[in-house]
Amino acid sequence: MKIIEKLSDMIEEEMSDAEKYIRCAMENKDEFPTLAEAFYRLSVEEMQHMAILHEQVTQLINDYQKKNGDPPPEMMTLYNYLHKRHIDRATEIKNKQMIYKNPSK
């Protein structure tokens, strides 16, 4: 399904932006705390966008299964690979967000 490929690209874009914003938050936390907090909020919002897109991918796969049975194995192999990669990257970003909010932990 081409739409899942497009959504996967969009998920990666959202995570790239989230990572960019949390990096900016960390870099500016001491000198510009208000700006840093804005960057942090943007990072969190980008991760929320990513979650919305992921929900849609899951829904598309579920809808496909209801209508057609199991998706082709190669489609699921690619999905599983990308899904794991997205989960790993999302975890890294969320860890950075937690470090920003709780630097002593």
Side-chain angles (χ1 to χ4, degrees):
M1 292 172 123
K2 284 286 187 195
I3 190 64
I4 291 176
E5 180 180 346
K6 184 174 186 169
L7 289 169
S8 180
D9 289 344
M10 294 170 115
I11 287 168
E12 291 189 19
E13 288 174 20
E14 297 294 341
M15 285 192 292
S16 290
D17 287 345
E19 193 167 33
K20 171 184 66 180
Y21 288 130
I22 196 60
R23 190 173 44 251
C24 288
M26 293 171 117
E27 290 170 358
N28 290 284
K29 189 173 187 176
D30 294 333
E31 190 172 359
F32 304 105
T34 303
L35 176 61
E37 190 61 24
F39 282 134
Y40 168 78
R41 287 193 321 269
L42 288 168
S43 179
V44 170
E45 287 177 20
E46 295 295 335
M47 292 302 287
Q48 291 168 344
H49 298 167
M50 182 273 308
I52 291 167
L53 293 170
H54 179 263
E55 289 171 16
Q56 292 304 306
V57 170
T58 302
Q59 188 62 51
L60 286 170
I61 291 172
N62 290 339
D63 290 348
Y64 182 93
Q65 286 175 321
K66 287 177 188 172
K67 292 178 186 173
N68 306 301
D70 288 337
E74 54 276 354
M75 181 176 129
M76 288 311 298
T77 298
L78 179 59
Y79 169 77
N80 289 332
Y81 166 76
L82 291 173
H83 185 68
K84 180 178 179 345
R85 198 168 93 183
H86 292 161
I87 288 172
D88 291 346
R89 189 164 182 205
T91 300
E92 290 174 12
I93 294 166
K94 288 177 183 181
N95 286 340
K96 289 176 184 177
Q97 289 171 340
M98 284 191 326
I99 290 168
Y100 170 82
K101 278 307 217 188
N102 305 299
S104 61
K105 292 185 181 183

